[in-house]
Amino acid sequence: MAEKLSSLQPAPKISQRLPLLGAGGIVLTMAIAVIGIGQGLRTISPWLRISNGEAKAEISTLVVQQIRAVSQLTTTIFAMETVVPTSQERQWGNFTLGRTDLLYIGYGEVRAGIDLEQLNEQNIEQRGEKLIITLPPPQILDQKIDVERSRIYQYDRGFLNLGPDTAPELQSLAQRQTLAKITAAACDQGILDRANEQAEIAVGSLLRGTGYTEVEIKTSIPGICAPSTSS
């Protein structure tokens, strides 16, 4: 009986259990804290993530850039040959000593079209799958004399060549008058209206490959072209 009593160990005191309970409590508390932090991070992680958004481009900007790549769109060319007489007198006081006449046959061309550099985002409208473009007004883009096809037909300094020898000056004057005459004739023939019609076709063909099911081209009213030839 004495041996059985001696083999029995005394139960641990409460003070001895406290460290074990404290350690277990700390471990449990830490586990709860870690779980809470993990849940919190999952909640706010979308706000902490740094990423690049989807690349976007304004359709109006893309269309403007595509159209501007064409720059000046020549849609109508008016060509004409005309005869322009010029003259200059040599005077002595109120008395005319002689006169020089120069007859010039000039061939020139007038180009009309749309200056697409004037196009901006306000000219582009998107309605679902429909694209609407409002073009700038047509204008005269260029006027030129074809010197290879133009010539001096007659140069006469009059009796005894008393007229002034001013062929270069008279030819230059004749070329300026040729340009003015051809431009006025082109305007009388409605070159700007035809430029509008052709620009509508050309720009429409250019944009129908952009993926839109419908492309509408609107034209603008032409401005002043040139004085009429009747003046």
Side-chain angles (χ1 to χ4, degrees), residues 45-58:
S45 59
W47 302 94
L48 299 177
R49 188 181 302 117
I50 299 176
S51 61
N52 295 327
E54 181 182 356
K56 297 181 180 179
E58 291 292 337

Side-chain angles (χ1 to χ4, degrees), residues 134-154:
T134 303
L135 297 177
Q139 58 183 283
I140 300 297
L141 298 177
D142 187 35
Q143 310 149 276
K144 65 180 180 180
I145 295 289
D146 188 341
V147 295
E148 299 295 330
R149 302 177 65 174
S150 303
R151 65 191 187 278
I152 296 175
Y153 180 75
Q154 182 181 7

Side-chain angles (χ1 to χ4, degrees), residues 2-187:
E3 292 179 357
K4 291 182 179 180
L5 292 175
S6 62
S7 62
L8 296 177
Q9 299 295 328
K13 297 180 180 180
I14 295 179
S15 60
Q16 292 176 336
R17 295 178 183 176
L18 289 178
L20 296 177
L21 292 175
I26 292 174
V27 171
L28 181 59
T29 303
M30 291 179 63
I32 294 173
V34 169
I35 293 173
I37 292 173
Q39 292 177 344
L41 288 176
R42 283 194 296 271
T43 303
I44 66 173
S45 59
W47 302 94
L48 299 177
R49 188 181 302 117
I50 299 176
S51 61
N52 295 327
E54 181 182 356
K56 297 181 180 179
E58 291 292 337
I59 183 63
S60 58
T61 302
L62 294 178
V63 172
V64 167
Q65 291 176 350
Q66 182 174 351
I67 297 178
R68 279 184 174 177
V70 184
S71 189
Q72 287 187 337
L73 180 65
T74 299
T75 57
T76 305
I77 298 178
F78 180 88
M80 175 179 164
E81 184 176 79
T82 183
V83 178
V84 178
T86 58
S87 63
Q88 187 174 10
E89 294 180 344
R90 174 174 288 170
Q91 293 183 325
W92 181 27
N94 293 327
F95 181 73
T96 300
L97 296 177
R99 169 175 160 165
T100 298
D101 292 294
L102 184 145
L103 194 62
Y104 188 77
I105 299 179
Y107 181 90
E109 293 182 350
V110 178
R111 295 192 304 114
I114 307 294
D115 184 4
L116 297 177
E117 290 293 331
Q118 299 179 5
L119 199 71
N120 54 48
E121 286 77 7
Q122 284 70 39
N123 301 115
I124 313 296
E125 183 180 356
Q126 183 181 3
R127 296 180 184 174
E129 295 299 320
K130 183 177 182 181
L131 190 64
I132 303 174
I133 312 292
T134 303
L135 297 177
Q139 58 183 283
I140 300 297
L141 298 177
D142 187 35
Q143 310 149 276
K144 65 180 180 180
I145 295 289
D146 188 341
V147 295
E148 299 295 330
R149 302 177 65 174
S150 303
R151 65 191 187 278
I152 296 175
Y153 180 75
Q154 182 181 7
Y155 181 65
D156 183 11
R157 295 179 61 194
F159 180 69
L160 298 178
N161 288 335
L162 293 178
D165 188 11
T166 54
E169 291 82 353
L170 290 176
Q171 181 178 351
S172 178
L173 174 62
Q175 289 175 340
R176 292 195 300 272
Q177 291 183 352
T178 297
L179 276 180
K181 192 172 182 180
I182 293 176
T183 302
C187 293

